[in-house]
Amino acid sequence: SIHSFPTRRSSDLQYQDNESPDHLWRVVSQGGGEFFIKNKNSGLIAGVDGESTANSANVVQSEDTGTPDHLWSILPAVPVS
């Protein structure tokens, strides 16, 4: 799961699930095959820090600012051969 902190702009870290509400996320359709990933505890949206397109960029939580880094696409799993 992704651990989150209830601040207005916080980094997300990976942690083992302990069933706390900050580990719960909802995928919310925005139309056109794009989604918000919203944290149940904070109500904030997952986005890429600084709208970066670099590999290994940090994912953070913030309020929706209308930037494209808050929109996510969910792709089908690719079978492992």
Side-chain angles (χ1 to χ4, degrees), residues 28-57:
V28 182
S29 177
Q30 298 302 297
E34 296 179 318
F35 300 86
F36 281 159
I37 300 175
K38 187 173 186 176
N39 184 266
K40 179 179 181 178
N41 188 58
S42 68
L44 299 175
I45 306 296
V48 181
D49 195 20
E51 299 180 55
S52 176
T53 59
N55 289 338
S56 301

Side-chain angles (χ1 to χ4, degrees), residues 6-19:
T7 60
R8 288 292 168 224
R9 186 153 185 91
S10 60
S11 295
D12 293 327
L13 304 171
Q14 291 185 5
Y15 269 87
Q16 183 173 338
D17 186 24
N18 64 6
E19 299 183 23

